[in-house]
Amino acid sequence: MTYKVSKEILDAFPCYEAMDNAPEDLSLDDQMKMYYLLNLIREHDSKLKELWMANKMCGIAHSYAGHEAIAVGACMALAKDDYITSTHRGHGHVIAKGGDVRKTMAEIYGRVEGYNCGKGGSMHIADVEQGILGAAGIVGSAMALAVGAAYSSVVLNKKSVTVCFHGDGGTSQGVWHESINMAGCWKLPVIFLTENNYWAVGTEFTRVAAQPEVYKRAVAYDIPGILTDGFNPFAVYKAVKSAAERARAGQGPTLIEARLMRIVGHWVADDESYRDPKAMEVWWQLDPIARMKHYLIENNVPPKSLEEIELRAKNDISDAVEYAENQCNDPTPDTLFKDLYANDEII
Amino acid sequence: MTYKVSKEILDAFPCYEAMDNAPEDLSLDDQMKMYYLLNLIREHDSKLKELWMANKMCGIAHSYAGHEAIAVGACMALAKDDYITSTHRGHGHVIAKGGDVRKTMAEIYGRVEGYNCGKGGSMHIADVEQGILGAAGIVGSAMALAVGAAYSSVVLNKKSVTVCFHGDGGTSQGVWHESINMAGCWKLPVIFLTENNYWAVGTEFTRVAAQPEVYKRAVAYDIPGILTDGFNPFAVYKAVKSAAERARAGQGPTLIEARLMRIVGHWVADDESYRDPKAMEVWWQLDPIARMKHYLIENNVPPKSLEEIELRAKNDISDAVEYAENQCNDPTPDTLFKDLYANDEII
Amino acid sequence: MKISVRQAINDAIKEEMNRDSNVTIFGCDVGLRGGAFAVTKGLLKEFGEWRVRDTPISEAGFTGIGIGAAATGLRPIVEILYCDWITLAMDQIVNTAAKKRYMFGGKINMPLTIRAPFGGGDGQAAQHSQSFEAWFNHVPGLKVIAPIFPEDVKGLLKSAIRDDNPVIFFEHKLSYTLEGEVPSEDYTIPIGKAKVIREGSDVTIVSYSMMVVKALEAAETLAKEGIECEVIDLRSLLPLDYETIIDSLEKTNRIVVVHEANLRGGMASDIVAEICDRAFDFLDAPPERVGGLNVPIPYCSCLEQLVIPSTEKIKKAVYKALNR
Amino acid sequence: MKISVRQAINDAIKEEMNRDSNVTIFGCDVGLRGGAFAVTKGLLKEFGEWRVRDTPISEAGFTGIGIGAAATGLRPIVEILYCDWITLAMDQIVNTAAKKRYMFGGKINMPLTIRAPFGGGDGQAAQHSQSFEAWFNHVPGLKVIAPIFPEDVKGLLKSAIRDDNPVIFFEHKLSYTLEGEVPSEDYTIPIGKAKVIREGSDVTIVSYSMMVVKALEAAETLAKEGIECEVIDLRSLLPLDYETIIDSLEKTNRIVVVHEANLRGGMASDIVAEICDRAFDFLDAPPERVGGLNVPIPYCSCLEQLVIPSTEKIKKAVYKALNR
Ligand SMILES: Cc1ncc(C[n+]2csc(CCOP(=O)(O)OP(=O)(O)O)c2C)c(N)n1
Ligand SMILES: Cc1ncc(C[n+]2csc(CCOP(=O)(O)OP(=O)(O)O)c2C)c(N)n1
Ligand SMILES: [Mg+2]
Ligand SMILES: [Mg+2]
């Protein structure tokens, strides 16, 4: 039985790619891991609104709900010592790359046990150990960073590739162009992964992009441009996998456009005055979790084991929230000048 | 008799376009004017080295010698109230657009009678009356300016188009991308004219560009990309003319790559330690002045009238130098704070 | 008429757009969404997309477009949604907007207003909380203003829009709901004039933007202890009204300068140095400065609140100014 | 051994590249051409293009690449050919390089050196002559240095390269041919230490970069009039060695701060304000500041020379400091 998608959505989303077959190199274990990660990210970011409303976090946060296939598909194709750079909508990237949800949640709570000791918050979570070079609050700014990491890999003879996640909005930044140009010219092991979710806050991409089909811009850098279904973790996996192989073989960067729809608000308490949020809901038909679940069941995975995974994800997030809420501490004033300069030098 | 170009050059310069026919809409008078302007610019910029050596100018200057076909071809396709933005190598643009060589020379001398009252110098000559929005010392920075002028034209219902001259080096700046993207998206009447002379100071374009065929990058903005022979004033004229028509018809921008070779040094006293200047000289075969002269003679213009034009250009520049040298004055200290704020307000 | 700062900005822009058809807005989400802080609500509908332009996330590019448009007949207002990102447009602002008139011998006009919401205090961390006014103070060719009360915000924004020079207009991100009286008729407030908003004879407190509110709070509590502070709201930073400051200093002989931006390299240093130049003899005590601590703004409120000057710190500075 | 500043920089970089294979250079024309000012001559040949990288004209991009490389194991030196264009990389420097370690709770390293030739005086006009050190002084997380003599240039550049923080290294464009003795053995000079380069008891002149040379000139002519100036070369601006300044001030009780950058919002204001904080009682006269005039640098020398501080102006400031 194929997964059902309405004609309306299929028409609006021509890059739809059915989830018929898992990529050959993904074991069932891998697939189950992916399913867990999809759920873990969803659970994690579904908590945000509640936390924000209850004043548990300090600033604001952006939910990755609906985008999970991209981070999970991409990071599944990476090794631990590969790098990623992330965005303001970064929890999914961090978790998919191996981040610890206790530490992400603690950071969102502004706790000293958080990844950034409470100094970064939702928009800046980093874990260099896991190759997570950090989220960035400045749209587009991490592009060059990613290229720098890829440059390091070459000079230091590491086999790492770097995946640079960014939104459609980020593709309008100058540094997007500068970065891809240099990476393309020097054939650096970096993958530019555009999460084209059609929106940048309240602005539709087609209103501000001369060429909204991002993958076509690859011609301008003489590199491959790939369009993929951003709601489909297998599709993203395949695209990133082949780009990573290319990169490791010294053939240079790839521009991957993972297309999807930002179904949720821009940030956790977005009133979406600029569009009708109700009209977005049909897009949940493409929910990567539902699609993957359908695929796994079709492929004889017992529903019960999937439910177990779902429950585990839920519990892990509850645990993370409980941890952040009750077992963690606010940073003390004496940490204020710590971490500014190397060796905590004070200037 | 066709104009002779060596096989070596033809191989190295595949975009060579023979000057067989003048564009139909160019009268003989127009052509003679173009011939004059080519010579005027050449004479003007051939003086620079001497002036620099003799300490007549304050800072540095960049010669447009060899590039004349581009400015002259392009500006011939424009009206007085069309706009141009220029670069560090800007004298040619200014003169072709109607600038007065007495005032450019006076400015280079740092005289108060110069276009910028001695405050701008070689790299910043502007004449808003003639639609010359100014040269720019920051490579690439005038891109957005040009788009802004085009934006004005639309809002103010003017018929002006704007030509944005820039070098291959400028195409690597982020603002290049941002500007073309917005112009393309909003279909603004602007023409991006890349003078791809293969070099940016001591760096060959192919060493720093993933896609050195600049016109191909037009795909990234869903606009037309045109490659043209930058040593051929007719070819440039035609390309700009058609792009201007497109722009005036509300169909948006065009990216024109005028390819040529920077035969001269980057700046007037460049020792060119990074390349062999002797090896560049073969490129003078493509000298736009020689080619145009050949064409005109072939088309029955008496050589004598061409020599008259050449002499006139020479004299006009001698006059300009004489003017700047002997009839102009250094700015007086009381002008120091003038022109900083509107109405010479002092803050 | 009592309105919020948000309304004051919206009204100022709307009135100027009605008054002058060359006024045009550029910025991320200024149109359909009406601005992230809802300050441009309704304008797209009223004036159409050619005058209220939603831009891509291209700060350098759309600032540059504003500059080009200003040089060719429009009177643009560019919004940089958070002043932190003005870093992306520094070349355009500093090397082109500020210098074009001068470099070109006065032959070009630059009627450009750049609105830049600034300041911290709401847990948005290091890249969404900064205050960069001191940088622009260092750039000849610009004007810089940072009013806080609705009346001043409206009157000065209108002056900025009408001004033929590039003006950087800082509005505090936490001020949008702050309310106050504004005149009902059309009015402007001249750029470059400070305002004594509280009279006092013991110490002069000079400040701008949100810190004015805290300075007033500090002054009120100090008054209960018998210390009368004169509070000056600078409103404009470039040009800066030293006359008003020195007149006050002549009376109080003690001065405290307060701002939210981190102290090192901040506006307060410039003001103190200038006071030393112009009125050293009026000083009965070292001039005091209160500014943000010299760290990036941390995310968690517990730390953030230590970085941004508090009423308490202002009070301490006043005591210090009085104790010698 | 007597060498030029140009040679000092070249030697410093070469020695550090030999010492540490992670040191890597990025910039326009740093390779094949050996730098517009010929400071990186020969390095491409010696170290290959992966360590000496000619970049496209993408200041934001290649600065960002330097930052990313610094975060992942390299120790990059980024050259911004003229400091005027550092405006293009402000976001990368201010929002990423300066803040990454802090925002990430100390979990990332940022051993990055940004070389930025600065200053005017050679007729290159408004976009090729600026001095922006004061901006970076306002950014916590950075270090800023601006030495002028070959020994200091070499020793401090080596320290900058070895430093695990982002360091902005300003070198004066007119200083490359300036010669001086340097030790022949491997040495470094610590960041953050000023140097008394002339002793005197009447007035303290504090300066850095090219203005140190002019301050010395002024001091020499003043000595003939019997006025003995103590001249301090700050060398480092952030951190800044107030101890050395105050020690001198304790002796002279009069101070003149001199820099080339335009005065308003410049380093001198910060130094004066800080002196008022730390040593007001040592001041027998108002602290004097000498800086560039508050205009963009004009092209013609006749005007440019009015903008940049002259020996004469420094002398006048010394007289002023002494006359009360
Ligand atoms: C330089 C900069 N400009 C503007 C913003 C404000 N902003 C935050 S997220 C965002 C939209 C980003 O859109 P996109 O890149 O498509 O990512 P998405 O939110 O869709 O995941 C904007 C404009 C910013 N953070 N940085
Ligand atoms: C932002 C910036 N970076 C670097 C420079 C130094 N510079 C001046 S001209 C030039 C080369 C420009 O090359 P291109 O755009 O191809 O123009 P061309 O000189 O070949 O005409 C460079 C690097 C500059 N002026 N501005
Ligand atoms: Mg998006
Ligand atoms: Mg070139």
Side-chain angles (χ1 to χ4, degrees), chain A residues 88-89 137 139 167-170 173 197 199-201 266, chain C residues 57 59 85:
Chain A
H88 58 287
R89 198 179 299 289
V139 170
D168 48 285
Q173 281 289 18
N197 63 8
W199 289 84
V201 194
H266 172 65
Chain C
I57 309 172
E59 279 79 2
W85 311 324

Side-chain angles (χ1 to χ4, degrees), chain A residues 199-204 207-208 262 266 274, chain C residues 25-41 52-57 62 79 81:
Chain A
W199 289 84
V201 194
T203 301
E204 270 176 297
R207 289 179 64 220
V208 291
R262 197 195 80 215
H266 172 65
Y274 47 82
Chain C
I25 310 180
F26 298 92
C28 291
D29 288 310
V30 292
L32 197 57
R33 191 180 183 211
F37 301 116
V39 286
T40 52
K41 260 227 149 75
V52 182
R53 179 56 74 179
D54 277 322
T55 62
I57 309 172
F62 69 72
E79 175 180 300
L81 181 50

Side-chain angles (χ1 to χ4, degrees), chain A residues 184-303:
Chain A
C185 186
W186 304 328
K187 300 218 175 301
L188 299 178
V190 53
I191 298 166
F192 300 104
L193 206 173
T194 311
E195 303 184 341
N196 182 356
N197 63 8
Y198 287 94
W199 289 84
V201 194
T203 301
E204 270 176 297
F205 195 39
T206 46
R207 289 179 64 220
V208 291
Q211 177 54 280
E213 308 223 62
V214 176
Y215 74 100
K216 290 189 181 164
R217 301 189 192 172
V219 174
Y221 310 98
D222 201 16
I223 60 172
I226 297 174
L227 176 65
T228 187
D229 176 351
F231 282 119
N232 178 338
F234 292 161
V236 175
Y237 171 84
K238 276 186 290 187
V240 173
K241 185 86 189 177
S242 74
E245 274 160 19
R246 232 184 94 81
R248 278 189 240 275
Q251 294 174 296
T254 301
L255 175 60
I256 299 174
E257 176 183 358
R259 213 173 279 175
L260 75 167
M261 172 57 74
R262 197 195 80 215
I263 313 176
V264 296
H266 172 65
W267 66 292
V268 291
D270 186 358
D271 65 7
E272 297 180 67
S273 61
Y274 47 82
R275 69 178 190 182
D276 177 9
K278 282 273 165 297
M280 290 293 128
E281 292 188 354
V282 296
W283 288 91
W284 281 120
Q285 289 178 45
L286 296 179
D287 180 6
I289 298 182
R291 286 170 76 184
M292 185 145 191
K293 186 169 185 174
H294 181 271
Y295 168 82
L296 291 171
I297 291 174
E298 287 292 302
N299 284 273
N300 306 317
V301 176

Side-chain angles (χ1 to χ4, degrees), chain B residues 115-116 120 124 126 128 133 138 141 144-145 147-148 151-152 156 158 178 182 186 188 336 338-339 341-342 345, chain C residues 22 50 53-54 56 58 61-62 65 67-69 72 74 91-92 100-105 107 141-143 165:
Chain B
Y115 265 122
N116 308 26
H124 302 294
V128 185
L133 295 177
I138 315 286
S141 69
L145 215 77
V147 178
Y151 198 97
S152 275
L156 299 173
K158 293 190 270 190
E178 298 183 2
M182 285 185 268
W186 304 328
L188 299 178
L336 184 58
K338 220 178 137 299
D339 306 323
Y341 290 95
E345 183 185 352
Chain C
N22 295 330
W50 282 100
R53 179 56 74 179
D54 277 322
S58 309
F62 69 72
I65 290 178
I67 294 169
T72 52
L74 295 184
D91 169 56
Q92 293 288 334
K100 228 173 164 51
R101 183 193 303 272
Y102 191 76
M103 286 194 308
F104 292 175
K107 301 217 174 58
L142 300 178
K143 295 187 178 182
N165 301 291

